């Protein structure tokens, strides 16, 4: 059936090729009479692909110069398939307007678009007759986020995976790319230790001795106002999640600094007040050198087993500020706190345990209990087969079960039924069937060199794409029945999964890496220049962008809205930073923007901060970000030993040069000029945002900012709004760049030139739906690379 569809697609593409060629090559009315004057006035292009290339490209890309390592002299345009990889590079440069380079003779826009369309149609026609879905890795290890989510969905247990497993290595921009996820002996040892801890936590087995865990509270979190998730009328403190292994007593210890009279502390567990500390009145305690002595408060309380929110906060509302005092900066590490602040929460236990308790994980795992000793094996078989079915993402067979039951028997002999189940779960968590997504070639290689993956493999691809986790019962059942590949069934499942809360992982993991939001954690703007920048603002920036992307996804808005939307999500901290009035409280809400300054991603503090230096903006970082994420044409890496931007010297010996002047000196270096001629003008368009994303009219030298620039295709703009309008003038350009990122993330491998016809097919399909984000996701799921796999050569 699918071969029939490909044949139909091929015939359509052949027809399209003829149509494009006819439209592009046919002379317009009166062309014969006007050709001389028109060529002289507008530089009209010749009428064949070869002559266009010879006129505008071969002067640089020839056998002698080989500019950029590319020669087009001997390539046959009549046989595009023989050099498809090279022609895909040509198409990418043409679509982005990068070639011919600025300053060189260029054909008019219609000729450039016609040439790119001709090559795309030829390449797509060849791909339709000889599909190549590419090859994913046979063993695809779960990354840290996927491991955490899989444990949550299989065992109903939330674990702090950051403390169990090392961070994953990113490749092609994402940490779920199989080729970059290496497996070492030390990593497997960590998996063994993680399986032991997770299985014990899931069943509520007691630790060998009481364990103390300290949760640090960042000193950059404001402590002078009510925090999100804490009661009104309180200020500061912190909320942490702690896993209590058993119903038992636990000791809570709080470390304070700058404790003064009246700074009473309230302890809450899952939002309920359980203890009140009245801090003794008196002066601050200092040692003989005048240094502050931290005060420690401690209490021992009974707590039910499970993962719970532990919070501590100070009573009395916001700290008073005397009229004679200056208002402190938002970052408490810059301004000395006026009242007590919380530094850490330490939980120690369990003591005097009364049992494992009734936790979600125990209810999920212990679906039956043996009434008599001889019923233990039958009950264990039922439990482990049900868990393994979800953990392995497929029905289990006798060999799967026997491996788990061997572990069960060993544990049951040592400590009874529950110890046996714990050992079985531990064995399941270290199985390659759980730790790896396996895709094996069929026993007999197909003649075409590729094959349709099974419905169960498709279910795993789909669930890890949208949920970063294992398939749920509904998806697994549909796949087991062999119906998931049916277009209507697959469409319904994708829409159901996107509506599910678990799709928040798609926003966190895909958007967080595509937009480089994870870099916010390590971003540290200068406290001297930006004393109001704190951890609360940093977290607010990230949350704003995540909610914004999520809204475009769930509402199936056009991807163009990612750059142009007139709304965003803010709390009072972010709104105050942006100058948006009438926003109170720490919760995020959707607001319409009062002007055009904050439209889309390019106006959001997260993007503007991660593309800046600690003390100044970076047109290079910002321009590179636009080239890579909006235009889909990342510049090559810089050469070694690139000198820093000059602060003074040369023609600017008597003054500090502006950013634009310093960058012009940089571009004067021939080694740097070629790339920076494309990068810098885009970055200049965002110069009216300072290094932490605040709007400004003058730079750090109090000079008016010139935010003008131009796109690689020569389109000029005067400011950020005009630049954004120019970027979305051809929406397919941004949609293609986003589709490439999405497909890389979905497949877990880097894209190859043979994937580009599939990318273009997805974009063309989405264009019929105004480039809706869900339409692109659906197009990827239905694409040849997602549903097929090339066999090993």
């Amino acid at each position: 059936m699918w071969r029939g569809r490909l044949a139909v697609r091929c015939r359509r593409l052949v027809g399209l090729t003829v149509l494009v060629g006819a439209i592009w090559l046919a002379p317009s009315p009166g062309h014969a009479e006007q050709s001389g004057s028109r060529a002289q006035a507008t530089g009209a292009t010749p009428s064949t692909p070869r002559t266009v290339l010879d006129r505008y490209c071969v002067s640089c890309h020839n056998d002698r110069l080989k500019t950029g390592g590319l020669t087009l002299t001997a390539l046959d345009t009549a046989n595009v398939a023989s050099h498809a990889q090279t022609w895909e590079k040509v198409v990418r440069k043409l679509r982005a307007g990068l070639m011919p380079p600025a300053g060189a003779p260029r054909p008019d826009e219609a000729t450039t678009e016609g040439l790119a369309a001709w090559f795309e149609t030829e390449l797509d026609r060849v791909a339709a007759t000889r599909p190549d879905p590419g090859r994913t890795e046979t063993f695809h290890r779960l990354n840290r986020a996927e491991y955490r989510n899989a444990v949550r969905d299989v065992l109903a247990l939330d674990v702090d995976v950051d403390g169990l497993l090392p961070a994953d290595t990113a490749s092609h921009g994402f940490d779920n790319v199989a080729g970059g996820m290496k497996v070492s002996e030390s990593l497997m040892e960590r998996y063994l230790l993680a399986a032991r801890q997770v299985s014990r936590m899931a069943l509520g087995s007691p630790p060998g001795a009481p364990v103390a865990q300290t949760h640090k509270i960042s000193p950059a979190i404001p402590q002078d106002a009510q925090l999100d998730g804490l009661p009104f009328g309180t200020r500061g403190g912190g909320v942490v999640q702690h896993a209590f292994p058993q119903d038992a007593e636990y000791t809570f210890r709080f470390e304070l600094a700058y404790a003064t009279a009246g700074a009473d502390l309230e302890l809450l567990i899952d939002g309920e007040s359980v203890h009140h500390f009245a801090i003794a009145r008196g002066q601050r305690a200092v040692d003989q050198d005048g240094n502050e002595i931290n005060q420690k408060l401690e209490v021992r309380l009974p707590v039910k087993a499970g993962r719970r929110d532990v919070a501590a906060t100070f009573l009395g509302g916001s700290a008073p500020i005397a009229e004679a005092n200056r208002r402190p900066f938002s970052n408490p590490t810059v301004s000395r706190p006026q009242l007590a602040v919380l530094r850490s929460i330490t939980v120690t236990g369990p003591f005097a345990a009364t049992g494992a308790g009734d936790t979600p994980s125990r209810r999920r795992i212990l679906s039956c209990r043996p009434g008599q000793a001889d019923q233990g094996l039958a009950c264990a078989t039922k439990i482990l087969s049900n868990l393994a079915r979800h953990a392995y993402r497929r029905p289990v067979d006798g060999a799967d079960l026997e491996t788990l039951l061997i572990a069960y028997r060993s544990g049951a002999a040592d400590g009874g039924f529950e110890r046996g189940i714990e050992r079985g779960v531990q064995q399941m968590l270290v199985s390659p069937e759980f730790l790896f997504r396996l895709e094996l070639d069929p026993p007999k290689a197909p003649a075409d060199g590729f094959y349709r993956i099974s419905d169960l493999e498709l279910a795993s691809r789909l669930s890890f794409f949208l949920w970063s986790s294992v398939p749920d019962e509904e998806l697994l059942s549909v796949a087991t029945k062999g119906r998931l590949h049916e277009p209507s069934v697959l469409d319904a499942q994708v829409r159901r999964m996107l509506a599910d809360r678990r799709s928040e992982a798609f926003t966190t993991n895909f958007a967080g890496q595509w937009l480089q939001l994870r870099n916010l954690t390590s971003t540290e703007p200068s406290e001297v220049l930006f004393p109001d920048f704190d951890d609360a603002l940093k977290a607010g920036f990230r949350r704003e962008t995540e909610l914004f992307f999520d809204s475009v996804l769930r509402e199936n808005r056009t991807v163009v809205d990612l750059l142009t939307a007139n709304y965003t999500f803010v709390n009072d901290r972010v709104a105050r930073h942006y100058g948006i009035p009438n926003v109170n409280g720490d919760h995020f809400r959707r607001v319409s923007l009062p002007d055009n300054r904050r439209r889309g991603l390019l106006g959001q503090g997260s993007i503007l901060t991660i593309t800046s230096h600690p003390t100044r903006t970076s047109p290079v970082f910002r321009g590179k970000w636009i080239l890579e994420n909006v235009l889909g044409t990342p510049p090559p890496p810089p050469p070694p030993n690139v000198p820093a931007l000059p602060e003074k010297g040369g023609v600017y010996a008597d003054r500090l040069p502006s950013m634009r002047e310093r960058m012009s000196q940089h571009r004067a270096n021939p080694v740097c000029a070629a790339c920076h001629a494309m990068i810098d003008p885009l970055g200049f368009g965002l110069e009216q945002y300072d290094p932490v994303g605040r709007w400004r009219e003058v730079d750090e030298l109090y000079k008016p900012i010139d935010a003008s620039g131009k796109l690689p295709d020569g389109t000029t703009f005067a400011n950020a709004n005009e630049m954004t309008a120019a970027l979305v003038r051809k929406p397919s350009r941004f949609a293609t760049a986003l589709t490439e990122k999405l497909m890389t993330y979905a497949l877990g491998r880097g894209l190859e030139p043979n994937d580009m016809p599939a990318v273009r097919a997805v974009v063309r399909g989405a264009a019929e739906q105004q480039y809706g984000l869900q339409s692109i996701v659906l197009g990827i799921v239905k694409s040849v690379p997602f549903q097929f796999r090339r066999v090993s050569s």
Side-chain angles (χ1 to χ4, degrees):
M1 182 182 296
W2 62 268
R3 286 184 172 86
R5 289 198 297 270
L6 285 178
V8 172
R9 181 183 172 200
C10 173
R11 288 195 294 270
R12 289 176 177 172
L13 284 171
V14 171
L16 180 60
T17 303
V18 175
L19 178 62
V20 170
I23 293 176
W24 185 44
L25 302 178
S28 59
H31 175 78
E33 294 80 3
Q34 301 175 7
S35 59
S37 60
R38 183 179 171 195
Q40 185 177 9
T42 65
T45 60
S47 57
T48 67
R50 183 72 260 174
T51 51
V52 173
L53 294 174
D54 289 342
R55 178 171 181 177
Y56 295 102
C57 306
V58 173
S59 58
C60 293
H61 300 290
N62 53 56
D63 292 339
R64 183 176 63 85
L65 296 178
K66 291 185 178 180
T67 306
L70 174 65
T71 176
L72 301 176
T73 303
L75 299 189
D76 185 5
T77 56
N79 186 13
V80 171
S82 61
H83 295 91
Q85 184 171 351
T86 300
W87 294 126
E88 287 289 0
K89 292 179 181 178
V90 170
V91 168
R92 183 179 296 272
K93 297 292 186 181
L94 291 173
R95 286 299 189 193
L98 296 173
M99 290 295 161
R106 286 190 172 200
D108 57 37
E109 184 175 352
T111 301
T112 302
E113 291 293 321
L115 181 63
W118 186 87
F119 275 118
E120 287 178 344
T121 306
E122 284 294 306
L123 290 164
D124 293 349
R125 179 182 61 80
V126 172
T129 57
R130 297 196 296 271
D132 183 359
R135 180 172 175 81
T136 55
E137 297 285 344
T138 300
F139 296 92
H140 190 158
R141 177 173 63 81
L142 304 191
N143 66 19
R144 199 160 62 171
E146 292 167 343
Y147 184 93
R148 177 186 62 241
N149 294 342
V151 168
R152 177 201 65 199
D153 293 340
V154 173
L155 302 178
L157 179 70
D158 288 315
V159 296
D160 179 16
V161 73
D162 292 354
L164 296 175
L165 299 173
D168 298 295
T169 302
S171 177
H172 298 279
F174 298 100
D175 63 7
N176 70 336
V177 172
M181 303 173 68
K182 306 304 180 183
V183 179
S184 64
E185 183 178 348
S186 61
L187 178 61
M188 294 312 300
E189 290 177 355
R190 294 288 292 272
Y191 275 125
L192 290 171
L193 292 174
R196 183 173 184 271
Q197 292 188 39
V198 169
S199 60
R200 292 179 68 87
M201 292 169 59
L203 271 300
S205 300
V211 177
Q213 182 176 357
T214 298
H215 304 273
K216 295 288 187 181
I217 307 299
S218 171
I221 293 179
Q223 297 277 304
D224 60 350
Q226 183 254 337
L227 299 181
D228 188 30
L230 295 176
F232 290 106
T234 64
R235 68 162 187 86
V239 183
V240 299
Q241 278 203 335
H242 185 83
F244 296 89
Q246 291 195 303
D247 290 353
E249 293 181 357
Y250 297 85
T251 297
F252 299 84
R253 188 178 67 186
F254 306 90
E255 182 182 0
L256 309 182
Y258 313 113
T260 59
D264 292 358
L265 188 73
E266 195 79 7
L267 168 61
L268 305 97
I269 297 180
D270 286 343
E272 296 293 329
S273 177
V274 295
H275 193 79
H276 176 83
F277 295 95
I279 300 176
R281 295 181 178 275
Q283 298 298 316
R284 295 172 178 165
V286 296
D287 60 20
Q288 60 184 1
D289 297 321
N291 298 318
E292 195 81 33
I293 298 176
N294 293 336
Q295 294 196 21
K296 294 183 175 67
L297 307 177
E298 189 170 309
V299 64
R300 180 163 159 173
L301 298 169
V303 181
K304 292 289 186 181
R307 194 168 189 84
R308 305 189 180 280
D309 289 332
V310 178
T313 185
F314 298 99
L315 302 182
S318 301
I321 301 175
E323 291 185 6
N325 295 339
R326 295 177 178 175
R327 181 175 180 82
F329 293 115
S330 297
N331 189 340
T333 64
V334 178
S335 296
R336 182 182 179 90
Q338 303 298 305
L339 292 178
V341 299
L342 182 65
R343 286 289 184 247
S344 67
I345 301 174
T346 300
V347 183
T348 306
F351 302 100
T354 59
D358 181 26
T359 62
S361 60
R362 284 178 60 83
R363 291 194 296 270
R364 172 72 60 83
I365 295 170
L366 300 175
S367 56
C368 65
R369 296 176 185 269
Q372 300 177 5
D374 59 356
Q375 297 176 341
L377 182 61
C379 183
T381 301
K382 178 181 178 181
I383 290 173
L384 294 175
S385 62
N386 179 58
L387 294 176
R389 180 174 183 268
H390 289 88
Y392 297 169
R393 287 87 71 183
R394 60 171 175 78
V396 294
D397 55 27
D400 297 320
L401 272 177
E402 184 56 31
T403 301
L404 302 180
L405 290 175
I406 290 173
Y408 162 77
R409 294 187 189 100
S410 173
D414 291 342
F417 176 76
E418 290 196 11
R419 178 62 60 84
I421 296 297
E422 178 191 313
R423 293 275 181 86
V425 171
Q426 181 178 345
Q427 178 64 43
M428 180 185 72
L429 293 177
V430 296
S431 170
E433 300 284 349
F434 173 71
L435 294 176
F436 295 87
R437 294 158 52 190
L438 305 178
E439 292 186 351
L440 304 176
D441 289 344
K444 183 178 180 181
D448 295 328
F450 64 95
Y451 65 97
R452 179 186 286 278
I453 62 175
S454 71
D455 278 37
L456 288 169
E457 291 169 336
L458 180 59
S460 282
R461 283 195 181 189
L462 185 57
S463 65
F464 281 100
F465 175 31
L466 300 182
W467 288 349
S468 296
S469 186
V470 298
D472 64 355
E473 180 58 37
E474 180 175 337
L475 183 62
L476 198 56
S477 297
V478 171
T480 302
K481 295 174 184 177
R483 298 193 57 206
L484 184 58
H485 70 277
E486 298 175 12
S488 60
V489 175
L490 184 60
D491 186 281
Q493 287 298 315
V494 170
R495 296 186 186 279
R496 177 185 72 86
M497 295 174 71
L498 287 174
D500 192 283
R501 282 192 59 187
R502 281 169 286 190
S503 66
E504 292 175 3
F506 177 74
T507 295
T508 303
N509 296 324
F510 169 72
Q513 295 181 85
W514 167 50
L515 301 175
Q516 303 167 20
L517 300 181
R518 294 183 178 182
N519 293 350
L520 273 171
T521 304
S522 57
T523 300
E524 297 294 341
S526 168
E527 291 184 345
V528 175
L529 297 178
F530 311 105
D532 274 331
F533 190 93
D534 57 6
D535 280 2
L537 184 58
K538 190 186 297 186
F541 280 168
R542 178 167 183 167
R543 189 60 181 151
E544 173 197 13
T545 303
E546 288 177 343
L547 290 171
F548 176 68
F549 179 88
D550 195 65
S551 72
V552 174
L553 174 67
R554 294 188 184 280
E555 298 169 22
N556 194 24
R557 300 175 71 94
T558 172
V559 297
V560 175
D561 280 359
L562 289 171
L563 299 177
T564 63
N566 64 345
Y567 70 90
T568 190
F569 294 81
V570 295
N571 62 358
D572 59 348
R573 183 72 184 86
V574 176
R576 189 164 66 249
H577 188 78
Y578 288 168
I580 299 176
N582 305 319
V583 176
N584 299 304
D586 206 45
H587 64 284
F588 280 79
R589 79 295 311 264
R590 181 169 175 162
V591 298
S592 297
L593 295 171
D595 52 48
N596 294 330
R597 295 176 179 177
R598 296 292 169 185
R599 282 179 176 257
L601 291 170
L602 296 179
Q604 294 184 2
S606 58
I607 307 302
L608 297 165
T609 301
I610 63 174
T611 54
S612 297
H613 290 291
T615 59
R616 63 171 177 82
T617 60
S618 174
V620 175
F621 289 170
R622 290 176 174 179
K624 178 179 180 292
W625 193 96
I626 294 172
L627 279 173
E628 182 173 354
N629 296 297
V630 179
L631 297 177
T633 53
N641 304 318
V642 176
L645 287 177
E647 297 295 335
K648 282 187 177 182
V651 298
Y652 307 112
D654 59 339
R655 64 181 177 87
L656 289 173
S658 68
M659 178 59 68
R660 188 176 286 266
E661 290 171 335
R662 278 183 282 175
M663 295 305 300
S664 66
Q665 282 191 299
H666 212 170
R667 290 195 301 279
N669 185 337
V671 177
C672 306
C675 290
H676 282 273
M678 299 183 297
I679 298 171
D680 298 351
L682 294 170
F684 290 143
L686 299 177
E687 269 297 283
Q688 287 185 290
Y689 301 98
D690 76 2
V692 293
R694 294 178 305 190
W695 181 263
R696 60 182 184 173
E697 298 290 347
V698 296
D699 62 14
E700 59 271 15
L701 303 177
Y702 299 99
K703 297 179 179 178
I705 291 175
D706 178 6
S708 63
K710 64 178 179 180
L711 267 59
D713 64 5
T715 304
T716 59
F717 54 83
N719 50 46
N721 289 331
E722 290 187 11
M723 180 179 70
T724 300
L727 289 171
V728 300
R729 184 171 65 89
K730 300 175 183 177
S732 62
R733 189 162 51 187
F734 176 50
T736 299
L738 176 55
T739 301
E740 290 180 13
K741 295 289 186 179
L742 279 166
M743 190 169 283
T744 299
Y745 180 80
L747 297 175
R749 64 170 176 82
L751 296 191
E752 302 169 352
N754 54 275
D755 293 309
M756 292 311 299
V759 170
R760 288 190 285 269
V762 171
V763 174
R764 283 195 298 268
E768 299 174 1
Q769 306 295 326
Q770 289 74 51
Y771 300 104
L773 183 51
Q774 287 190 19
S775 303
I776 293 179
V777 171
L778 276 164
I780 290 173
V781 171
K782 295 177 180 179
S783 69
V784 170
F786 197 84
Q787 297 200 23
F788 294 83
R789 182 170 183 260
R790 186 173 65 220
V791 297
S792 178
S793 56

